[in-house]
Amino acid sequence: MDMQSPWLDDEQQALWQALLTVVIALPATLDRQLQRDAGISNFEYGVLARLSTADEATMRLSDLARVCDSTQPRLSKVMDRFEIRDWVTRRPDPGDGRYTLATLTDAGRQKLVESAPEHVAQVKRLVFDPLSAAQRRHLTTALTRIAATLRKELDRG
């Protein structure tokens, strides 16, 4: 193949089309399941899950936005909804008042625990079950590299 070609070759095109389907259809499918079963979005579930694994279930909002691959305004809107539902509390960071800390409440943890079984079953069915152990390892390696490249781009703004 001509390395200077501006076009994707057949193999690249097939991979790109499959990746587009996953990138677009997987979040939509997970959103449908979570909305139906738990009344939350896939993004909201991810925010609850990330907070639940943090030390003392607390993170700076800027760090939470980064690990959730979110913008600050999008996360702020989610935090507003979560505070209304008593799933999180926010307070200034005592170590540096320029930052805000979010803490998962007991009610927020309960929402996550109630939402997890159907969500995890859906993720397993859609992502893990179709693949062999070797395919999962290869996919992990490949996606980790792509994710690292994308995070560098995001960090550059």
Side-chain angles (χ1 to χ4, degrees):
M1 179 186 135
D2 177 9
M3 295 306 285
Q4 301 302 315
S5 172
W7 310 109
L8 300 177
D9 64 28
D10 290 345
E11 182 180 316
Q12 291 169 330
Q13 187 64 255
L15 171 59
W16 178 239
Q17 292 304 316
L19 183 58
L20 280 177
T21 298
V22 170
V23 167
I24 294 166
L26 183 60
T29 304
L30 294 174
D31 271 336
R32 272 199 313 268
Q33 177 272 311
L34 280 163
Q35 287 290 349
R36 181 187 67 236
D37 297 337
I40 60 175
S41 70
N42 186 49
F43 178 73
E44 291 170 326
Y45 179 91
V47 170
L48 291 172
R50 291 289 185 154
L51 270 176
S52 76
T53 61
D55 289 341
E56 299 179 26
T58 300
M59 290 182 76
R60 284 182 173 174
L61 288 181
S62 55
D63 293 336
L64 184 59
R66 184 181 42 77
V67 299
C68 290
D69 297 315
S70 176
T71 63
Q72 291 269 22
R74 180 182 187 198
L75 183 63
S76 182
K77 290 177 184 174
V78 167
M79 289 292 112
D80 290 344
R81 289 193 301 273
F82 283 6
E83 274 190 319
I84 290 168
R85 295 173 178 162
D86 190 36
W87 294 348
V88 298
T89 59
R90 287 184 280 190
R91 68 182 189 284
D93 184 339
D96 187 338
R98 296 175 298 174
Y99 295 98
T100 300
L101 298 177
T103 300
L104 188 66
T105 64
D106 289 342
R109 187 175 305 281
Q110 183 60 34
K111 181 62 177 177
L112 181 63
V113 167
E114 291 169 359
S115 305
E118 289 300 320
H119 176 65
V120 170
Q122 180 82 323
V123 168
K124 285 181 177 182
R125 186 177 70 76
L126 295 172
V127 177
F128 296 99
D129 292 352
L131 302 174
S132 69
Q135 288 171 323
R136 289 191 298 270
R137 286 191 301 276
H138 290 297
L139 186 59
T140 298
T141 300
L143 291 179
T144 298
R145 290 183 72 147
I146 293 170
T149 301
L150 290 169
R151 285 196 176 100
K152 285 178 190 171
E153 285 293 316
L154 287 173
D155 288 345
R156 279 194 269 208

